[in-house]
Amino acid sequence: MHPPISLIWFFLTAGVSIGLFNFTYFMEFLTLFGKNTAMPRQAVIISLVISLVLIGLGAIGASFHLGHKMRAWKAIKRFHTSWLSREAVFSGAYGFVLFLYGLAYYFNANLFIQHSLGILTFVLGWLSAFSTAMIYASNKFVLEWYTSLTVLYYLNMYLMLGSSAFLSLTYFYRPEFVPTYLFLTFLFVSLGLAFRIAFNIRQFIIPRPTINEALNLPHNRPIRVLDTGTTTNNYCTEEFYYKKGKDLLGSVLPVAYILTFIVPLFLILYAWITGNYNYNFFKIAFASLVLGSFLERWCFFVEGNHVQNLFYGLYPEEGYRLRKGYMERKKTVIRL
Amino acid sequence: MAQFALVIDLNTCVGCHACATNCKEWNTQAAFGPLSDFDPYGREPQGVWYNRIMTYEMGEFPNTQVFHLPKSCLHCQDSPCVPVCPTGASYKREQDGIVLVNYDDCIGCKLCSWSCPYGCREFDEADKVMKKCTLCIDRIYDESLPPEHRKPACVLTCPAKARFFGDIEDPNSEVYNVIKERNGFVLFSDAGTNPGNHYLPRTETKVHVDEHLLKHDNPLFLEVLRRHHVGG
Ligand code: SF4
Ligand code: SF4
Ligand code: SF4
């Protein structure tokens, strides 16, 4: 599949926003049970402003994916059937209620109002993340995505981004929580690595349809594509088969693995074991996570193979091997 | 419930692309037009087509058959492209089962095209909306046309008469009967989409390869040798 940069951008901004809010509010929430976990006022306000700005930037970025931005509001109409519609509703509501929560916190509104809004924001944020993940996980024609792993992995990435961002706040405002957030970041990044490996291994073992199934012809007849009717690519071949991406995947995927998982894990583990809480470590770990996640999402799209590619002979053959086994498209050169 | 659809005879389709061309001709100028072209006289001419013709070769040399597969929106009865549309721009008509896109509501999110297993939707970069075969709904209900012309443009133009059009749920229709009599089949029957458009299978032909065909100077013989060599 062709990776839409606007959607990767939305993933990163919404991910940091929802993830960061998740931990910021969680610390507030624990105070309800008499725990001394409240972050200083300044830290909470900084965190809320970052979350709000990011979700705003995310929405603006995501609108670049649309052909008609001014009609984006119409996306709320099919809430009962469309995950994209649900994503639009929940992410919009998350941003709005987050803003209200920010106001309530800033003006010290009564605790009941504050926490009601806080819990609502928390829930809406996760519903928005879940809906986004379901857009991919519910598409049964891209087998790489059509699994609950896609959802688990997606939500975990939000936690990963959120806990590593929150680490910086604890470093400056509540250093005694640094070990806790080191542990949480380590946990979520390790889980992310496990999910990613599982996601990649799964690609080898999923049973794939063949061109015979697509054409509904006997299984024992070999079928070859002779001609796809046009001399150049078209919307379908460009949207569902990104040749340049497929060629680059072998180089980008290892870099994505290193930046998203290996570098942060190493830095966090080092800080944790040595007790050397150098802020530069946390900064680099977070930057590496964000950059790595960008590449990781790019790979996620490129790794997706849409079954419509079968008609063009551009689907991985049975016995799929990573980066190999793609049928080359016949090159037609037109000389004028 | 009525389900209008096309039935295409794979025995008679000769892959002439006349249906695709006439489709583009009609739909570029009619109610659902235009179908934008990009760089039409350049090296990489691209454009929106509702109907594309693929050519496949089946079987093993020398017993192979070539067939052509015209493919446009199949107007699925359980169309997966409809529920995913966030705006309701994609919809399936109750009265005749035709799946359409309302261009005024489409936000161009492309999600419907991701959900079509057949690659039958195309995004028009000029209009920034999703487009697809309308079964020439603007022809088939046009009472100003003579009744025999109230058919999709592709059906009217097919020189091989390989295309049929009608209500596949109506036992009195030509399409219903031709599907029944000649074992009409659908693409990707496992996908759960229950397509309206059907194809009539090719009748088997046995090719008997005479020995003299495999003579030394016959290029086919060299091909056999090469394959044998590669295989062994
Ligand atoms: S016009 Fe008829 S024969 Fe020609 S490609 Fe179309 S269906 Fe086949
Ligand atoms: S062929 Fe594709 S676009 Fe047409 S109704 Fe079926 S799923 Fe939708
Ligand atoms: S591209 Fe248009 S028709 Fe397709 S899902 Fe999006 S809004 Fe609906």
Side-chain angles (χ1 to χ4, degrees):
Chain A
M1 302 286 287
H2 197 286
I5 300 300
S6 46
L7 297 189
I8 301 180
W9 167 255
F10 181 75
F11 165 78
L12 288 176
T13 49
V16 177
S17 170
I18 293 170
L20 189 59
F21 178 79
N22 175 75
F23 291 107
T24 308
Y25 181 68
F26 185 62
M27 300 301 261
E28 290 295 306
F29 184 70
L30 287 182
T31 60
L32 286 178
F33 301 95
K35 302 256 186 292
N36 172 26
T37 51
M39 295 294 280
R41 222 176 135 69
Q42 200 189 359
V44 175
I45 290 171
I46 290 176
S47 165
L48 294 181
V49 169
I50 293 176
S51 292
L52 201 56
V53 168
L54 281 179
I55 195 71
L57 289 177
I60 293 171
S63 76
F64 282 93
H65 182 62
L66 302 181
H68 286 277
K69 295 165 196 56
M70 300 319 276
R71 296 181 192 159
W73 68 270
K74 292 192 178 184
I76 59 176
K77 289 208 258 180
R78 277 285 188 86
F79 184 80
H80 56 296
T81 59
S82 168
W83 282 109
L84 181 54
S85 188
R86 290 170 195 163
E87 181 205 34
V89 170
F90 287 135
S91 63
Y94 161 76
F96 181 66
V97 185
L98 173 64
F99 176 68
L100 294 185
Y101 174 72
L103 288 184
Y105 184 87
Y106 189 78
F107 292 110
N108 282 323
N110 114 6
L111 271 190
F112 177 75
I113 296 181
Q114 273 193 38
H115 283 285
S116 310
L117 288 171
I119 292 170
L120 191 59
T121 317
F122 186 90
V123 172
L124 286 170
W126 286 109
L127 284 175
S128 154
F130 181 74
S131 307
T132 316
M134 279 307 285
I135 293 175
Y136 307 106
S138 65
N139 189 333
K140 63 176 176 177
F141 303 121
V142 183
L143 291 168
E144 288 79 3
W145 301 351
Y146 186 53
T147 158
S148 41
L149 200 57
T150 303
V151 178
L152 290 174
Y153 180 35
Y154 201 93
L155 298 185
N156 183 72
M157 293 211 27
Y158 276 24
L159 288 170
M160 210 164 91
L161 290 166
S163 63
S164 57
F166 199 74
L167 193 55
S168 295
L169 283 181
T170 55
Y171 177 84
F172 287 116
Y173 294 98
R174 295 291 298 262
E176 70 273 27
F177 287 130
V178 167
T180 313
Y181 277 89
L182 277 175
F183 167 72
L184 285 177
T185 308
F186 182 78
L187 177 75
F188 295 132
V189 178
S190 316
L191 273 175
L193 177 60
F195 284 139
R196 210 345 150 161
I197 292 173
F199 182 77
N200 276 124
I201 291 177
R202 187 178 166 275
Q203 293 178 20
F204 290 92
I205 51 176
I206 32 179
R208 288 169 189 281
T210 60
I211 187 167
N212 296 56
E213 274 161 64
L215 298 175
N216 214 348
L217 291 170
H219 285 262
N220 52 358
R221 303 292 158 82
I223 297 175
R224 272 182 307 268
V225 183
L226 289 188
D227 189 61
T228 53
T230 40
T231 50
T232 53
N233 279 339
N234 59 49
Y235 169 72
C236 292
T237 55
E238 284 182 350
E239 180 72 8
F240 302 113
Y241 184 85
Y242 181 42
K243 172 91 173 62
K244 217 184 286 167
K246 293 280 187 201
D247 292 345
L248 283 173
L249 189 59
S251 335
V252 178
L253 192 58
V255 179
Y257 260 101
I258 292 171
L259 289 181
T260 322
F261 307 112
I262 310 301
V263 171
L265 277 181
F266 176 78
L267 290 173
I268 300 291
L269 208 56
Y270 182 79
W272 199 15
I273 291 171
T274 60
N276 176 6
Y277 300 155
N278 186 335
Y279 183 58
N280 284 329
F281 287 177
F282 305 160
K283 261 196 317 205
I284 298 171
F286 181 68
S288 178
L289 251 178
V290 171
L291 190 61
S293 304
F294 179 88
L295 297 179
E296 191 281 331
R297 281 295 103 182
W298 185 90
C299 295
F300 173 83
F301 281 105
V302 176
E303 284 167 303
N305 293 293
H306 197 287
V307 297
Q308 80 92 30
N309 289 344
L310 281 164
F311 295 104
Y312 290 89
L314 292 170
Y315 201 71
E317 289 166 308
E318 276 182 310
Y320 170 73
R321 264 173 264 119
L322 206 62
R323 282 182 285 121
K324 289 214 182 84
Y326 290 100
M327 279 165 78
E328 275 295 307
R329 211 183 124 75
K330 208 169 36 152
K331 261 252 175 317
T332 315
V333 183
I334 305 174
R335 288 204 180 75
L336 295 177
Chain B
M1 215 176 77
Q3 174 64 61
F4 283 17
L6 297 169
V7 176
I8 300 163
D9 186 349
L10 297 184
N11 282 294
T12 35
C13 171
V14 291
C16 64
H17 292 245
C19 50
T21 314
N22 203 34
C23 164
K24 178 119 173 170
E25 168 85 28
W26 172 257
N27 285 299
T28 276
Q29 57 182 338
F32 286 84
L35 304 184
S36 313
D37 277 323
F38 304 95
D39 197 19
Y41 306 109
R43 277 166 186 264
E44 299 256 305
Q46 273 211 28
V48 181
W49 294 78
Y50 286 168
N51 185 9
R52 290 181 186 270
I53 290 100
M54 317 274 181
T55 302
Y56 299 96
E57 184 186 36
M58 179 169 71
E60 205 130 26
F61 174 85
N63 286 307
T64 55
Q65 289 189 31
V66 170
F67 64 95
H68 310 282
L69 183 94
K71 182 161 64 70
S72 53
C73 170
L74 309 156
H75 300 279
C76 305
Q77 310 202 40
D78 301 311
S79 37
C81 56
V82 169
V84 297
C85 174
T87 62
S90 283
Y91 64 103
K92 185 165 178 74
R93 282 162 54 97
E94 287 279 329
Q95 60 270 51
D96 50 22
I98 298 179
V99 176
L100 290 180
V101 181
N102 177 348
Y103 296 166
D104 292 335
D105 279 348
C106 174
I107 54 173
C109 67
K110 300 183 179 168
L111 193 58
C112 53
S113 71
W114 288 14
S115 308
C116 167
Y118 308 103
C120 285
R121 289 187 166 232
E122 301 210 4
F123 188 70
D124 191 322
E125 282 293 341
D127 287 353
K128 302 282 180 208
V129 294
M130 197 53 80
K131 298 188 171 175
K132 61 175 272 306
C133 163
T134 65
L135 267 185
C136 287
I137 191 164
D138 48 349
R139 282 195 74 87
I140 59 180
Y141 288 113
D142 185 350
E143 297 196 348
S144 67
L145 292 173
E148 67 276 17
H149 283 192
R150 290 181 210 158
K151 285 182 180 174
C154 57
V155 175
L156 289 172
T157 201
C158 177
K161 296 273 175 282
R163 306 176 77 97
F164 306 88
F165 165 74
D167 179 2
I168 58 161
E169 297 283 310
D170 172 11
N172 299 318
S173 72
E174 183 188 23
V175 279
Y176 178 92
N177 288 302
V178 85
I179 291 171
K180 248 186 125 177
E181 281 160 22
R182 297 179 51 194
N183 292 324
F185 68 97
V186 295
L187 298 182
F188 240 132
S189 52
D190 292 347
T193 53
N194 205 357
N197 285 11
H198 280 65
Y199 294 87
L200 302 180
R202 288 178 65 95
T203 42
E204 288 286 310
T205 39
K206 270 261 178 292
V207 180
H208 176 70
V209 186
D210 275 339
E211 231 174 66
H212 74 264
L213 251 181
L214 299 176
K215 267 192 324 200
H216 218 76
D217 54 356
N218 189 317
L220 290 178
F221 185 55
L222 294 180
E223 176 70 8
V224 173
L225 271 185
R226 190 181 63 78
R227 287 186 186 222
H228 185 73
H229 186 71
V230 172

